[in-house]
Amino acid sequence: MNIIICENYQKASQKSAVIIKKLLKLKPNCKLGLATGSTPIGLYQELIRASDNNEISFKDVQTYNLDEYCNISIDNEQSYYYFMHKNLFHHIYINERNVHIPFARAGYEKEDCMTYNNLLNQNQVDLQVLGIGTNGHIGFNEPNTSFEQETFIVDLDLQTRLDNQRFFGSLEAVPTKAITMGIKNIMNAKHIVLIASGVNKAKTIKRLVEGSISEEFPASILKIHPNVDLIIDADAASELDK
Ligand code: PGA
């Protein structure tokens, strides 16, 4: 992993944006894997600015999102479909047909996982953006998910639901299941950019950088991927051995 420590969240967002802008200029029809959560919002703002300035274009870009809650409608403000449109797609010129966000219909979960998985197998992602959960999850691959896992329906970890209750108001309101790219799908990307920010991620980043590779800590698999940039701010890096 190539570790890049930035002064603060804004600098980390700018650094990740530089990498993505470079790819878009080099390969205007690239396949971009996208993430939700608080972390990539700054990156998306940088990309919107660059698109406004005609520095980059999303006209021919295909996007593939990591995950989505089950049993949530796309117009629910907490859905990842809503999040992606609010924070990126509504502000850039992108063909809606090029936007891929997984969804799982009640009663058709298996089929919907297979459809998304086939799509991923037919379209290798050039660059995957990742955040990281405090428990080490990537996408919604919670601790003890097999490294061989492909797209599936996950029972969300209590820690993940506690971390996300800030968006829903109460723990009970946080969905218990989600559809997510599996670790194997994520590892198939040619290049991965994992962003982490804030002191609440410092222990997680320490374990990622200094700990061993284990399914108990899903992000640890990234250590064997040949092309990972770990972009963290000083707060997230604050527990690393000097
Ligand atoms: P966050 O979520 O960016 O809101 O911290 C990251 C994640 O759970 O992957």
Side-chain angles (χ1 to χ4, degrees), residues 53-212:
N53 296 339
N54 294 320
E55 195 190 331
I56 51 168
S57 165
F58 285 86
K59 185 170 70 69
D60 298 317
V61 173
Q62 303 266 345
T63 67
Y64 299 86
N65 262 80
L66 285 167
D67 45 21
E68 176 64 282
Y69 292 115
C70 289
N71 305 317
I72 198 162
S73 86
I74 60 173
D75 49 17
N76 183 318
E77 290 186 20
Q78 299 312 330
S79 77
Y80 288 163
Y81 180 97
Y82 190 98
F83 175 101
M84 286 309 303
H85 286 78
K86 176 175 165 222
N87 290 295
L88 182 63
F89 300 144
H90 280 160
H91 309 282
I92 57 176
Y93 177 75
I94 190 162
N95 188 334
E96 188 66 30
R97 270 190 319 205
N98 291 348
V99 166
H100 308 282
I101 300 174
F103 58 87
R105 296 162 299 162
Y108 296 91
E109 289 88 351
K110 255 208 180 105
E111 291 86 339
D112 290 339
C113 286
M114 219 145 68
T115 304
Y116 201 63
N117 204 61
N118 289 340
L119 182 74
L120 295 172
N121 284 338
Q122 287 155 15
N123 295 280
Q124 187 182 18
V125 164
D126 290 292
L127 187 151
Q128 176 68 55
V129 176
L130 289 182
I132 185 169
T134 55
N135 62 2
H137 76 203
I138 46 175
F140 270 139
N141 291 276
E142 303 287 26
N144 300 309
T145 303
S146 162
F147 287 152
E148 290 304 309
Q149 183 67 56
E150 299 192 279
T151 309
F152 73 119
I153 303 290
V154 59
D155 289 317
L156 295 174
D157 209 42
L158 177 60
Q159 186 58 54
T160 297
R161 296 183 64 237
L162 287 168
D163 286 345
N164 288 357
Q165 74 173 325
R166 67 189 193 277
F167 301 115
F168 287 87
S170 73
L171 181 62
E172 294 67 42
V174 184
T176 55
K177 286 179 185 291
I179 177 171
T180 182
M181 279 190 200
I183 292 176
K184 195 170 173 186
N185 305 115
I186 294 173
M187 287 293 281
N188 194 35
K190 291 182 195 161
H191 183 181
I192 293 175
V193 173
L194 190 153
I195 314 165
S197 153
V199 278
N200 67 321
K201 295 286 170 72
K203 283 203 163 51
T204 309
I205 292 303
K206 184 178 178 64
R207 186 166 176 190
L208 173 61
V209 173
E210 296 165 15
S212 56

